[in-house]
Structure formats: C-alpha cells, structure tokens
C-alpha cells in the first residue's frame, strides 16, 4: 500500500512538472504571437501616419492648383477687358481713326497683330524668350498679353 | 498595383506666320491696289469692317485664353498624377 502511494506521488509530480513545462512553452508561444501582433500594429500605425501625411499634401496640392487656375482665369479676363478698352476707350472709333490716320493705324494694327500671334504661340506652350522674361517696362512688354508673356512685368 | 503613367508628350507649341493687314479706305483704295500690282500681288483683298475687325481680335483673344487655360490644366494634371515624370516641354 505504501508502495502504491509512492508511485502515485511520483506520477503526480511528473505530471505536475510536465504540465508546468507545457504551460511555460505555451506562454512563450503566446508571447511570440503578441510580439508579432505588436510589430504588425506598429507597422499599420506608421502606414496610417504616412497616408495621412500624403493625403494632407494632396489636399494642399489640389487647393494650390485650384487657386492658380482661378488666378490665371482672372488675369486672362483682364487682358480681354484691356483689349476691349483699347478699341472703345473714351468712345474711340477705330474706323474713323483709320480713315484719318490710315498709315499710322495700319502700322499699329500690324504691330499688334504680330504681338497677338506671339501670344497664341505662348498660350500653346511656346517657351518664353529671355527678352520676354526680363521685360519690366511698358515699352518692353507684349501689350497684347502681358500676363502670360511677361511674368516680371508689374503694371504701373 | 498602381497603373503605369500615361506619360504622353505635350503637343508641340505652335509656330505661326505673321500676316499683313492693309487698311483700305475710299480715299486710298486705288493706291492700295496699284501698290499690290506693282509688288506682283493679285489686286484682291478680303475685307472686314472696323467692327468686324474688333470682333475678330476679341475672338482670337478668347481662343488664346482658352488655349492657355487648357494647357495649364494639362500641366497641373501631369504634375499631380505624374510628379516624377519630367515635363518634355520645359523651357530651353
């Protein structure tokens, strides 16, 4: 009887040790999973942060593009208004002027026509010349479209 | 997987010819046609009234503005969607 009790005690002891060992191994395994999950979470947070930064930059770029387009539309409208003024300023009648000063109006018309032709080239993407870029005086600018032909010209 | 950049070349900028305007009035008509003949040019002219000339100038200005806006719009789209692609139409 005493022998059987001993055997039972040893069996319990062995089972306890084996159980503890398995428990430790499970803890280690759980710990490894938790570490992997932690890494995934950290990576996801970093990705989200990068995404937010990119989205913020995109919004800024969109806003900037919209503002620049609106600005362009408004300066081009000004060029168009200026053209209208040139024809009709103070009830000016270009026809009567052309009758009275035919040669000089012809010369002015041809000059303006050449400038207007250049404006279309620029609008189609033609690069500005150094002269156009550096023009700052009224006498140097393309009076037909200074807003697109002479970026450094400030009207005075 | 992002789509490949479209990366189309921008249209070649226009290179236009300058044209010559001749103002013809009831007083100088004869002289104008005579000069044309002397220069070996057919004595014929396409005419516009002063009002129509004004409209033509304004129409061209509107076309020019639209061209500029469309061109800039294209640049903005390219810059936004293909920022790493070098614009083939950079100033030389």
């Amino acid at each position: 009887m005493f022998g059987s009790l001993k055997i039972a005690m040893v069996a319990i002891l062995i089972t306890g040790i084996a159980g503890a060992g398995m428990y430790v191994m499970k803890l280690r395994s759980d710990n490894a999973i938790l570490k992997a999950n932690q890494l995934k979470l950290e990576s996801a947070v970093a990705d989200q942060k990068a995404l937010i930064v990119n989205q913020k930059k995109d919004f800024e770029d969109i806003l900037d593009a919209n503002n620049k387009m609106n600005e362009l539309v408004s300066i081009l409208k000004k060029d168009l208004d200026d053209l209208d003024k040139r024809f009709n300023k103070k009830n000016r009648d270009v026809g009567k002027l052309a009758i009275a000063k035919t040669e000089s109006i012809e010369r002015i018309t041809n000059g303006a026509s050449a400038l207007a032709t250049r404006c279309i080239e620029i609008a189609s993407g033609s690069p500005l010349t150094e002269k156009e870029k550096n023009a700052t005086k009224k006498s140097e600018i393309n009076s037909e479209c200074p807003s697109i032909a002479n970026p450094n010209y400030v009207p005075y | 997987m992002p789509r490949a950049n479209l990366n189309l070349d921008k249209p070649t900028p226009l290179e236009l010819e300058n044209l010559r305007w001749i103002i013809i009035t009831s007083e100088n008509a004869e002289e104008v046609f005579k000069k044309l003949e002397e220069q070996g040019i057919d004595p014929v002219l396409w005419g516009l009234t002063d009002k129509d000339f004004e409209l033509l100038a304004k129409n061209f200005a509107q076309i020019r503005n639209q061209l500029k806006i469309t061109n800039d719009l294209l640049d903005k789209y390219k810059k936004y969607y293909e920022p790493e692609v070098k614009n083939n139409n950079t100033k030389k």
Side-chain angles (χ1 to χ4, degrees):
Chain A
M1 189 203 155
F2 203 67
S4 327
L5 194 66
K6 231 179 186 178
I7 289 167
M9 290 280 284
V10 169
I12 288 168
L13 195 66
I14 289 169
T15 309
I17 290 167
M22 281 171 75
Y23 182 67
V24 169
M25 280 172 73
K26 187 183 176 306
L27 278 180
R28 277 186 182 167
S29 159
D30 286 351
N31 196 27
I33 291 168
L34 282 172
K35 272 185 184 168
N37 285 347
Q38 173 73 11
L39 282 175
K40 279 183 194 167
L41 273 171
E42 280 172 5
S43 165
V45 168
D47 286 351
Q48 286 297 315
K49 275 185 183 167
L51 186 71
I52 290 168
V53 168
N54 280 341
Q55 277 185 334
K56 200 178 164 207
K57 191 186 172 302
D58 284 351
F59 287 137
E60 282 167 4
D61 287 349
I62 291 167
L63 197 65
D64 182 54
N66 270 294
N67 287 340
K68 283 193 175 140
M69 285 310 292
N70 287 337
E71 201 179 308
L72 176 70
V73 169
S74 100
I75 59 171
L76 290 177
K77 191 182 172 302
K78 192 183 170 297
D79 280 352
L80 204 59
D81 291 344
D82 287 348
L83 177 65
D84 189 55
K85 275 183 205 157
R86 247 175 289 153
F87 278 110
N88 300 306
K89 195 177 176 183
K90 295 177 186 168
N91 292 325
R92 177 185 282 166
D93 186 331
V94 178
K96 283 196 172 65
L97 273 173
I99 292 168
K101 300 175 182 175
T102 308
E103 277 182 22
S104 100
I105 295 295
E106 189 172 285
R107 198 176 54 249
I108 290 167
T109 305
N110 278 307
S113 174
L115 292 176
T117 301
R118 176 63 188 143
C119 292
I120 292 183
E121 289 179 349
I122 294 168
S124 77
S126 176
L128 296 178
T129 62
E130 287 303 311
K131 199 179 160 194
E132 285 165 339
K133 280 188 218 169
N134 297 331
T136 52
K137 294 178 192 159
K138 253 184 191 170
S139 58
E140 297 169 339
I141 61 164
N142 181 331
S143 53
E144 294 299 310
C145 57
S147 59
I148 61 171
N150 310 109
N152 289 317
Y153 171 67
V154 182
Y156 51 89
Chain B
M1 177 82 174
R3 297 173 78 183
N5 290 333
L6 186 57
N7 198 18
L8 292 175
D9 282 350
K10 275 190 76 179
T12 311
L14 296 169
E15 281 181 36
L16 302 174
E17 301 290 339
N18 271 331
L19 48 88
R20 175 183 160 207
W21 289 94
I22 297 171
I23 295 180
I24 181 165
T25 67
S26 53
E27 287 174 16
N28 76 350
E30 211 170 306
E31 188 194 336
V32 166
F33 285 114
K34 196 178 156 207
K35 271 188 188 167
L36 287 177
E37 281 180 324
E38 281 169 5
Q39 292 164 11
I41 300 168
D42 291 335
V44 58
L45 295 169
W46 272 249
L48 287 175
T49 64
D50 57 340
K51 288 294 159 207
D52 283 340
F53 174 74
E54 184 180 331
L55 293 178
L56 182 73
K58 286 178 185 171
N59 283 351
F60 263 96
Q62 289 196 59
I63 292 168
R64 175 192 76 212
N65 288 358
Q66 197 68 12
L67 191 59
K68 175 69 180 161
I69 288 167
T70 309
N71 223 6
D72 276 26
L73 206 65
L74 184 63
D75 283 343
K76 297 248 179 298
Y77 269 96
K78 272 180 94 73
K79 190 179 163 198
Y80 186 81
Y81 286 106
E82 301 172 3
E84 71 282 7
V85 178
K86 198 180 170 196
N87 187 342
N88 70 317
N89 199 28
T90 45
K91 313 278 184 277
K92 287 160 196 152

